[in-house]
Amino acid sequence: MISNRHNTFTASSLAAKLRSLEWMFPHRQRFRRRAVLAASALGLLPGLSATQIRAEDSSIIANQTPGFGKAKRCLLLFMWGGPSQLDTLDPKPNAPREVRGEFSAIPTATPGLQICEHFKHLAPLTDLVTVIRSLNHDDPAHLSSAHTAMTGQLPPVNKSDDEPPSRRDSPHLGALFSKFRDVPVGLPSSVMMPWKTFHPAAPGGESPGQSAGWLGQAVDPMLVTGDPNLPNWSLPALQLLDGLDTQRLDHRRALLASIDRQQQSLMDLSTLGMISQQEQAFRLLSSNQVRQAFDLSKEDPATRDRYGRNIHGQCVLMARRLLEHGVPFVSVNWHNDGQNFWDTHGNNFNRLKNDLIPPSDQALAAVLTDLRDRGMLDDTLVVWVGEFGRRPQITANNAGREHHPFCYSGLMAGGGIKGGAIYGASDEIAKYPAENPMSPRDLIATMLHAMGVPPGATLNDMTGRPHGLYGGSPVLPLFG
């Protein structure tokens, strides 16, 4: 019998529950008692926590399901605002002009796959990626749909641009993943840059789902702000005050720890979270490894040029450095460009070809190439996606496209994902999925699966209440 504070399962009840999960096991093998117990420890059954997951158990489920645990690290490139599927990864060259738009479609390294002509750097590298053309949901609001895109769960208030962030939000994927990965001492468990997404037209302002939410502030992603392309850029979190060296910093740390120990009996959960953040801050300030990871001057100038001498390109380059140094999760949000990001209600084609696609294409191609050449792509998951797509019919009076969550595109690479593949298909004008519809919750579930987070695992919130981590189902055909 296996127990925890929330559930007690007998071997027979575990076997019955496991049989209900046979969709995960394509060969429909007879489940032995050891597999049942392993699945329980892995969290395939409800109520089991992350602390019960062991390496030997993970190897058992990895042998049963494709792609499980293949990714050791993850890079999320979040294209805030909603890229047009027709003008990026799912062009419709045979559609009427008022739908297909101004751009041509070009062939790629993947037979049968065409993408927008302005993704010229990505086109020869599509043998490394799977393009997804059937993403869909029904939420046209930026804020609430961004929450779902970054957490894999519906927000506390769905279909709303009015609701700001709160601790009721589900944890950002980086915060969630931090619970399942050991991180070298001094390094942050997840990093977000160069800002938290904010939309000036949304009454709620900042997108929910960018913090650790109900997991508590102690595991909030580390926010790295500013433009690392600027010659005088530095990370404020790593700057010591004038006259304060690392020896004096260690003395202050010891003094603060002594005070904290004397106040243990007075602590509540929020105080504990604050102390955890203080400890993280001290480690960051005193870690040479962290300073090295954030120091772009260590990169060859030609490499910096290859990523693009702009805020997005340099953030993606820094993300690669952080992953190399041991940070398991980095998310790069499309930056505050002062022009509503990928939210192209007007001037869609000029914005895309001049401002949006070129830096995104260049940085994506550069990081895919570097990860491949450094032998890291096999165990690094890369995801490029926005919160929704754009309406197929072009708005005639301003050459824009409106919000359209019912069909959009993204891509995945590395971490066990097939290369040179297309998943799903849209109809003739990319209005709705025609094959294999996939929700953003399924996308996040697929990411969790690749990173070795079992479908039934739970984590407790700050009150001790357990929460399931999967809002959707992993899409196993994506894995090679």
Side-chain angles (χ1 to χ4, degrees):
M1 183 170 66
I2 296 177
S3 303
N4 65 18
R5 60 178 293 220
H6 303 294
N7 297 282
T8 301
F9 297 115
T10 63
S12 59
S13 67
L14 288 173
K17 289 181 179 292
L18 191 56
R19 283 194 295 273
S20 71
L21 295 171
E22 288 185 351
W23 62 272
M24 294 185 65
F25 301 90
H27 302 299
R28 297 189 178 277
Q29 301 170 357
R30 177 182 293 274
F31 299 111
R32 299 182 182 275
R33 177 182 176 87
R34 182 168 178 262
V36 170
L37 296 176
S40 172
L42 273 168
L44 278 171
L45 301 173
L48 300 180
S49 69
T51 58
Q52 294 171 282
I53 300 168
R54 300 179 311 218
E56 62 182 272
D57 300 323
S58 294
S59 67
I60 293 172
I61 191 172
N63 290 333
Q64 297 284 357
T65 55
F68 182 81
K70 294 293 186 183
K72 295 179 181 178
R73 59 192 80 83
C74 181
L75 171 60
L76 173 61
L77 303 174
F78 184 58
M79 301 298 105
W80 170 230
S84 165
Q85 67 278 16
L86 291 112
D87 306 311
T88 55
L89 302 177
D90 193 10
K92 299 293 183 181
N94 297 322
R97 181 171 177 79
E98 63 270 18
V99 170
R100 72 173 184 266
E102 300 178 6
F103 301 153
S104 298
I106 58 172
T108 68
T110 302
L113 173 65
Q114 293 184 316
I115 60 177
C116 170
E117 63 180 309
H118 299 296
F119 278 94
K120 60 183 181 180
H121 293 93
L122 175 63
L125 297 173
T126 59
D127 60 318
L128 303 178
V129 312
T130 288
V131 171
I132 304 168
R133 288 177 162 173
S134 56
L135 286 164
N136 75 99
H137 58 87
D138 64 355
D139 182 357
H142 285 290
L143 299 198
S144 50
S145 61
H147 176 285
T148 305
M150 291 188 278
T151 69
Q153 304 282 352
L154 294 177
V157 180
N158 199 27
K159 299 182 181 180
S160 172
D161 273 330
D162 297 331
E163 194 70 14
S166 77
R167 284 295 164 188
R168 296 183 300 140
D169 297 341
S170 296
H172 185 275
L173 188 58
L176 193 63
F177 190 38
S178 71
K179 291 292 188 176
F180 294 85
R181 281 290 183 274
D182 293 327
V183 182
V185 174
L187 285 171
S189 57
S190 65
V191 172
M192 176 185 296
M193 61 178 85
W195 72 325
K196 287 186 176 181
T197 59
F198 177 97
H199 204 298
E206 184 182 304
S207 307
Q210 299 184 84
S211 72
W214 47 254
L215 274 178
Q217 64 182 352
V219 288
D220 280 349
M222 177 183 176
L223 181 62
V224 175
T225 59
D227 183 355
N229 188 50
L230 297 175
N232 60 346
W233 181 86
S234 62
L235 187 63
L238 300 184
Q239 302 305 307
L240 295 175
L241 295 175
D242 290 343
L244 181 62
D245 57 23
T246 55
Q247 185 175 2
R248 292 181 63 191
L249 181 69
D250 287 340
H251 176 75
R252 292 188 181 186
R253 179 182 186 178
L255 180 61
L256 182 60
S258 175
I259 295 171
D260 289 340
R261 284 192 295 270
Q262 296 175 38
Q263 295 180 336
Q264 288 286 336
S265 61
L266 302 177
M267 290 179 188
D268 58 16
L269 288 172
S270 62
T271 306
L272 288 171
M274 185 180 301
I275 290 173
S276 177
Q277 286 190 317
Q278 290 171 346
E279 180 66 19
Q280 292 175 29
F282 277 118
R283 288 179 176 178
L284 285 171
L285 286 169
S286 58
S287 171
N288 287 329
Q289 187 176 9
V290 173
R291 294 174 184 277
Q292 290 283 329
F294 281 100
D295 188 356
L296 288 181
S297 70
K298 302 297 184 183
E299 293 288 337
D300 185 272
T303 299
R304 298 192 66 175
D305 291 343
R306 187 161 49 84
Y307 276 77
R309 292 283 189 159
N310 53 69
I311 182 172
H312 182 72
Q314 298 305 293
C315 281
V316 175
L317 175 56
M318 187 180 296
R320 192 215 73 203
R321 290 183 59 82
L322 292 171
L323 295 171
E324 286 179 305
H325 279 76
V327 176
F329 192 100
V330 182
S331 55
V332 177
N333 298 327
W334 191 259
H335 50 282
N336 182 9
D337 57 18
Q339 299 186 62
N340 287 346
F341 338 108
W342 292 78
D343 193 24
T344 52
H345 290 279
N347 200 25
N348 175 73
F349 301 100
N350 286 329
R351 283 280 289 138
L352 289 172
K353 72 180 180 182
N354 296 327
D355 306 322
L356 296 167
I357 295 178
S360 176
D361 171 52
Q362 186 174 356
L364 176 59
V367 76
L368 289 174
T369 300
D370 275 1
L371 291 173
R372 178 197 64 192
D373 293 349
R374 292 163 188 249
M376 294 175 61
L377 189 58
D378 286 346
D379 56 10
T380 303
L381 183 65
V382 179
V383 179
W384 186 101
V385 74
E387 69 269 34
F388 48 56
R390 314 305 298 186
R391 186 170 176 262
Q393 290 77 15
I394 300 166
T395 307
N397 63 352
N398 64 0
R401 295 192 192 266
E402 306 303 323
H403 296 183
H404 189 77
F406 306 106
C407 186
Y408 62 109
S409 301
L411 66 78
M412 303 181 77
I417 297 294
K418 292 178 183 176
I422 307 169
Y423 183 82
S426 62
D427 61 22
E428 64 276 6
I429 60 171
K431 189 174 185 178
Y432 299 108
E435 297 175 10
N436 297 321
M438 180 177 174
S439 75
R441 288 180 284 173
D442 294 336
L443 175 65
I444 297 295
T446 304
M447 296 171 70
L448 291 172
H449 178 87
M451 294 186 290
V453 180
T458 65
L459 290 173
N460 292 344
D461 63 21
M462 293 178 287
T463 68
R465 177 189 172 200
H467 294 257
L469 308 184
Y470 277 60
S473 300
V475 182
L476 301 185
L478 288 168
F479 296 97

